[in-house]
Amino acid sequence: EINTNYTTQVENIYGYTSTGIPSNANGTYVKGNTTVTYVYSKNEGKVENNEVIKTGPENVTSINQNQ
């Protein structure tokens, strides 16, 4: 609804880091469209240890009864 407040937030995207918060990340709805653009940069680096350490039970059971 026009003249009501809105808020947005940075999303966590694996392998990327937000470069900042846009100036219109929070504001008031106006007539027409409002675009809020978050910019992310790709993290540098490489995986040096890709070992998976298992925790939990030996068997995994689907919670979806159709499977």
Side-chain angles (χ1 to χ4, degrees):
E1 186 176 324
I2 294 175
N3 293 325
T4 59
N5 293 333
Y6 71 85
T7 60
T8 67
Q9 62 186 19
V10 172
E11 293 292 326
N12 292 324
I13 302 173
Y14 180 78
Y16 291 83
T17 301
S18 171
T19 61
I21 306 295
S23 61
N24 66 339
N26 304 305
T28 304
Y29 287 109
V30 295
K31 186 175 182 178
N33 295 330
T34 299
T35 301
V36 179
T37 303
Y38 285 87
V39 178
Y40 294 81
S41 62
K42 185 172 175 132
N43 297 342
E44 292 187 27
K46 62 182 179 179
V47 176
E48 294 187 16
N49 182 359
N50 61 356
E51 177 184 354
V52 175
I53 300 171
K54 181 187 169 303
T55 60
E58 284 293 320
N59 298 318
V60 177
T61 306
S62 173
I63 61 171
N64 185 343
Q65 299 300 318
N66 297 325
Q67 292 184 356

